[in-house]
């Protein structure tokens, strides 16, 4: 299991935190806070974890929600009987992160509140958990999105890392 609080930073350590100024508005829209997510974005802003998971800043989440919901309405793909959410329930979601393969992680408000994964190459929406740690471990360890050995050419990282240009 990877620990979101144990991250190596490779490269510069000055992060653009300007898009994090809307954290209070973000929490109000979600109806709750996500402590691990908040701690991460306040430290690193919008960043890419392990060259795999792109975490959005709160301002980016709020700016993307209308486009996300419109896209879901036009191109709903996850109609498997095993999907944890319906198309209507996705209209209560906020996009939090994605992977380099186009898989998306969203937070659903209201009933069934929590984080869900919308895979790029699967027609099933998966429940993930309650915060950023759950996103990281689902993406990296569930086997539903990536084979770590294949992705890292047989050498998966022991710890999480951020590569910053």
């Amino acid at each position: 299991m990877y620990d979101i609080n144990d991250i190596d930073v490779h490269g510069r350590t000055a992060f653009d935190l300007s898009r994090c100024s809307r954290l209070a508005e973000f929490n109000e829209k979600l109806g709750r806070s996500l402590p691990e997510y908040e701690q991460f974005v306040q430290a690193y802003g919008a960043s890419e974890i392990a060259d795999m998971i792109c975490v959005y800043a709160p301002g980016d989440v709020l700016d993307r929600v209308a486009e996300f919901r419109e896209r879901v309405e036009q191109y709903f793909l996850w109609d498997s009987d095993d999907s944890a959410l319906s198309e209507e329930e996705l209209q209560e979601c906020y996009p939090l992160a994605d992977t380099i393969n186009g898989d998306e992680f969203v937070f659903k408000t209201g009933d069934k509140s929590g984080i869900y994964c919308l895979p790029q190459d699967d027609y099933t929406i998966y429940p993930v958990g309650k915060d950023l740690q759950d996103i990281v471990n689902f993406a990296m360890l569930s086997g539903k999105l990536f084979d770590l050995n294949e992705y890292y050419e047989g050498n998966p990282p022991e710890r999480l890392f951020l590569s910053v240009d």
Side-chain angles (χ1 to χ4, degrees):
M1 185 148 109
Y2 289 98
D3 184 351
I4 195 67
N5 297 306
D6 187 21
I7 293 180
D8 287 332
V9 178
H10 304 156
R12 69 178 162 81
T13 57
F15 296 95
D16 178 9
L17 303 180
S18 63
R19 303 290 293 163
C20 296
S21 63
R22 296 173 66 190
L23 189 55
E25 179 186 357
F26 171 86
N27 287 339
E28 183 179 321
K29 294 282 187 188
L30 267 59
R32 64 172 288 206
S33 66
L34 302 172
E36 294 164 356
Y37 169 83
E38 288 179 24
Q39 181 180 5
F40 180 86
V41 296
Q42 287 174 327
Y44 308 113
S47 295
E48 189 173 285
I49 300 172
D51 292 335
M52 181 183 287
I53 305 159
C54 303
V55 179
Y56 309 148
D60 296 331
V61 170
L62 297 171
D63 291 345
R64 291 176 185 204
V65 69
E67 178 274 328
F68 166 78
R69 291 175 180 175
E70 183 177 314
R71 185 168 35 85
V72 164
E73 187 176 325
Q74 291 179 1
Y75 306 105
F76 182 76
L77 304 173
W78 305 275
D79 55 0
S80 164
D81 290 341
D82 295 329
S83 280
L85 298 176
S86 68
E87 182 176 356
E88 293 77 26
E89 290 169 322
L90 278 178
Q91 294 301 319
E92 299 172 345
C93 291
Y94 291 81
L96 293 178
D98 62 27
T99 69
I100 60 160
N101 289 345
D103 311 294
E104 294 182 271
F105 292 93
V106 299
F107 182 85
K108 184 185 177 312
T109 59
D111 291 343
K112 296 186 181 180
S113 175
I115 296 172
Y116 294 84
C117 178
L118 286 62
Q120 175 71 21
D121 298 323
D122 189 344
Y123 299 110
T124 302
I125 298 171
Y126 295 103
V128 171
K130 300 289 182 192
D131 213 327
L132 186 58
Q133 181 72 57
D134 299 317
I135 291 174
V136 169
N137 284 315
F138 184 88
M140 296 186 73
L141 301 175
S142 73
K144 296 186 185 309
L145 306 180
F146 292 95
D147 176 332
L148 281 191
N149 282 316
E150 183 178 310
Y151 183 77
Y152 291 108
E153 298 176 354
N155 193 22
E158 292 181 20
R159 295 174 52 188
L160 295 175
F161 62 91
L162 298 179
S163 294
V164 182
D165 296 333

